């Protein structure tokens, strides 16, 4: 690892996996990483993970393509140096970069009910730093774009201080790095938003990593029945270790899945959490909760032209519909305590990690994800 005493204020040359074109294999390149500017931090990345969001924007299907770019947003690392104005981080601190931030000054950050920072909310179209509109990455003077303010597929990256969670240095970064995005999103959707009570029934729509994290949250909450809903029946066995007790494949029934769940549960589940982004699944998740007290939580991101349609009586009959962003966790204030849940053995992370590859083989992580047999693949930045 480069010594911060010798690299502070200097350009660092390191390896990064650069996406030059949509859908083409990443190329390990030597890049130049500029020093952090005001309110920025340069981080040595030790472990990173591949999330479906990286794949989605790498494929560039349905959004504005922005290349060349360094992807990656689930990671763990160590602070190498800090820019002016940074007071709560110092070289050597262990951190998790997060795709959304917490400036601690805007109305959202000051609210106990919101984590949607005005300054640092996710912006997938921005490929530069907000401080000066410039990239901190370059190759032979040519700028390389950032991704969601993190760009962790690089041995060093520069991140706004508000997008870094300072964590327990004893926490293993190769495990807790997956708390930067998907696992925290699903876990928080259950613990912070749905809030199932002891002995309650919960339906989870979509059993990918986010849905399984939601199931984990329901399990931690003491739910007695956790019904997994997925179009892939093979996922039931994979979901059992996360607390899923029953499984429904909508394709196996000739009636809407919300009716199937209502019949299974005597009128509907107490809570449902939708983790697919499918508008049909969102409607089913809402309509399958029990009248009078049922709460449905939407996590998945729909297509931009989708519209949610349900009869108003479903609301008037005292069903509640909620949305959530990053599990309602504030990155700097809350993620350190999620790491402590793992350290205290309240939260199991190992079962989310299905593969591990060295940085030189990062394209294998994309293959695993595209084959559909990977929850999280850990990428070791050092051999």
């Amino acid at each position: 690892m480069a010594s911060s005493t010798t690299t502070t204020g200097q350009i660092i040359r390191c390896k990064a996996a650069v996406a030059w074109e949509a859908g083409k294999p990443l190329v390990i390149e030597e890049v130049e990483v500029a020093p952090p500017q005001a309110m920025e931090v340069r981080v040595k990345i030790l472990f990173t993970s591949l999330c479906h969001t990286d794949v989605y924007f790498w494929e560039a299907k349905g959004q504005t393509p922005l290349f060349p770019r360094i992807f990656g947003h689930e990671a763990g690392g160590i602070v190498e140096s800090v820019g002016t104005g940074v007071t709560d981080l110092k070289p050597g601190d262990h951190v998790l970069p997060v795709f959304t931030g917490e400036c601690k000054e805007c109305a959202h950050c000051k609210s106990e009910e919101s984590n949607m920072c005005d300054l640092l909310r996710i912006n997938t179209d921005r490929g530069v730093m907000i401080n000066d509109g410039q990239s901190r990455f370059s190759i032979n003077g040519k700028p390389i774009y950032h991704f969601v303010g993190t760009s962790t597929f690089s041995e060093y990256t520069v991140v706004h201080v508000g997008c870094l969670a300072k964590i327990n240095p004893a926490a293993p970064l190769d495990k807790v790095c997956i708390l930067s995005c998907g696992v925290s999103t699903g876990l928080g959707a259950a613990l912070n938003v749905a809030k199932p009570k002891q002995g309650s029934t919960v339906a989870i729509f979509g059993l990918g990593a986010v849905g399984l994290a939601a199931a984990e949250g329901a399990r931690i909450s003491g739910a007695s029945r956790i019904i997994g809903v997925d179009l892939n029946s093979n996922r039931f066995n994979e979901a059992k270790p996360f607390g899923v007790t029953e499984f429904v494949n909508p394709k196996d029934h000739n009636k809407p899945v919300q009716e199937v769940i209502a019949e299974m549960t005597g009128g509907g589940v107490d809570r449902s959490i939708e983790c697919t982004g499918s508008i049909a699944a969102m409607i089913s998740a809402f309509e399958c909760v029990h009248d009078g007290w049922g709460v449905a939580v939407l996590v998945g991101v729909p297509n931009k032209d989708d519209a949610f349609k349900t009869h108003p009586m479903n609301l008037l009959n005292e069903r509640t519909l909620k949305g959530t962003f990053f599990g309602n966790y504030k990155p700097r204030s809350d993620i350190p305590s999620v790491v402590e849940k793992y350290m205290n053995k309240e939260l199991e992370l190992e079962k989310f990690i299905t593969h591990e590859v060295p940085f030189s083989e990062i394209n294998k992580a994309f293959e695993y994800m595209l084959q559909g047999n990977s929850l999280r693949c850990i990428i070791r930045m050092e051999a």
Side-chain angles (χ1 to χ4, degrees):
M1 176 178 171
S3 167
S4 62
T5 57
T6 60
T7 56
T8 300
Q10 305 295 312
I11 291 173
I12 288 179
R13 289 175 175 81
C14 70
K15 291 179 181 177
V18 178
W20 290 99
E21 296 180 62
K24 297 292 178 64
L26 307 188
V27 181
I28 303 294
E29 305 274 14
E30 182 179 88
V31 301
E32 294 184 341
V33 186
Q37 301 302 307
M39 302 307 290
E40 296 174 0
V41 178
R42 190 160 58 186
V43 179
K44 165 78 171 174
I45 299 295
L46 298 183
F47 296 93
T48 187
S49 168
L50 180 65
C51 170
H52 187 265
T53 303
D54 295 304
V55 177
Y56 180 74
F57 282 90
W58 165 73
E59 290 178 320
K61 296 176 181 176
Q63 75 284 126
T64 307
L66 191 61
F67 296 94
R69 202 171 201 182
I70 297 173
F71 288 102
H73 66 284
E74 286 189 351
I78 299 174
V79 172
E80 175 270 336
S81 60
V82 303
T84 57
V86 176
T87 57
D88 54 353
L89 287 175
K90 63 184 185 305
D93 285 342
H94 287 218
V95 291
L96 301 184
V98 182
F99 66 90
T100 186
E102 181 185 355
C103 72
K104 296 193 174 184
E105 296 176 1
C106 70
H108 283 277
C109 286
K110 290 180 178 178
S111 166
E112 294 181 0
E113 300 180 41
S114 174
N115 67 335
M116 301 186 72
C117 177
D118 285 331
L119 179 68
L120 299 170
R121 192 178 307 183
I122 185 173
N123 182 337
T124 56
D125 291 334
R126 186 173 60 227
V128 294
M129 301 299 290
I130 62 173
N131 180 55
D132 59 1
Q134 302 293 315
S135 173
R136 302 288 174 260
F137 299 109
S138 62
I139 297 178
N140 299 324
K142 176 182 173 60
I144 308 295
Y145 291 114
H146 294 248
F147 179 63
V148 296
T150 53
S151 292
T152 61
F153 292 167
S154 175
E155 292 177 323
Y156 286 86
T157 189
V158 178
V159 181
H160 191 284
V161 66
C163 295
L164 290 168
K166 180 181 175 181
I167 64 165
N168 184 342
L173 291 174
D174 61 333
K175 305 296 189 299
V176 299
C177 67
I178 65 173
L179 291 173
S180 293
C181 180
V183 172
S184 292
T185 295
L187 185 74
L191 297 180
N192 300 334
V193 189
K195 299 180 180 177
K197 297 176 182 176
Q198 186 83 22
S200 60
T201 56
V202 181
I204 308 289
F205 286 73
L207 297 178
V210 176
L212 293 176
E216 180 81 351
R219 181 190 66 80
I220 291 171
S221 298
S224 62
R225 296 176 69 184
I226 303 174
I227 303 167
V229 183
D230 202 287
L231 297 175
N232 181 353
S233 296
N234 294 330
R235 288 188 164 173
F236 182 35
N237 283 333
E238 300 168 7
K240 287 180 181 178
F242 298 86
V244 175
T245 58
E246 298 160 74
F247 181 81
V248 176
N249 186 333
K251 293 190 294 187
D252 293 341
H253 302 272
N254 56 11
K255 63 176 71 172
V257 70
Q258 52 266 47
E259 294 181 16
V260 176
I261 292 172
E263 289 175 5
M264 291 172 62
T265 55
V269 290
D270 301 308
R271 302 288 187 267
S272 72
I273 304 172
E274 182 283 324
C275 304
T276 71
S278 158
I279 200 71
M282 292 180 181
I283 294 167
S284 296
F286 176 55
E287 294 182 355
C288 82
V289 299
H290 205 290
D291 58 5
W293 62 80
V295 178
V297 178
L298 306 186
V299 179
V301 179
N303 290 327
K304 61 183 178 65
D305 296 326
D306 281 339
F308 186 96
K309 183 179 179 182
T310 191
H311 197 282
M313 284 306 300
N314 287 319
L315 287 159
L316 296 174
N317 285 337
E318 299 182 9
R319 293 178 180 88
T320 299
L321 180 64
K322 293 186 173 184
T324 181
F325 173 70
F326 192 49
N328 276 43
Y329 285 121
K330 293 178 186 283
R332 297 162 86 180
S333 300
D334 299 333
I335 293 303
S337 65
V338 182
V339 170
E340 291 309 308
K341 283 184 184 293
Y342 169 76
M343 297 298 284
N344 296 334
K345 297 183 168 31
E346 299 170 45
L347 171 64
E348 300 173 31
L349 294 178
E350 287 81 359
K351 58 193 177 186
F352 287 95
I353 299 169
T354 52
H355 300 82
E356 184 174 316
V357 297
F359 188 40
S360 60
E361 299 177 18
I362 189 171
N363 287 301
K364 280 189 177 179
F366 280 76
E367 291 173 16
Y368 293 141
M369 180 74 76
L370 291 169
Q371 289 164 3
N373 60 1
S374 173
L375 289 177
R376 282 297 181 268
C377 180
I378 301 297
I379 298 157
R380 302 187 310 276
M381 302 303 286
E382 295 179 325

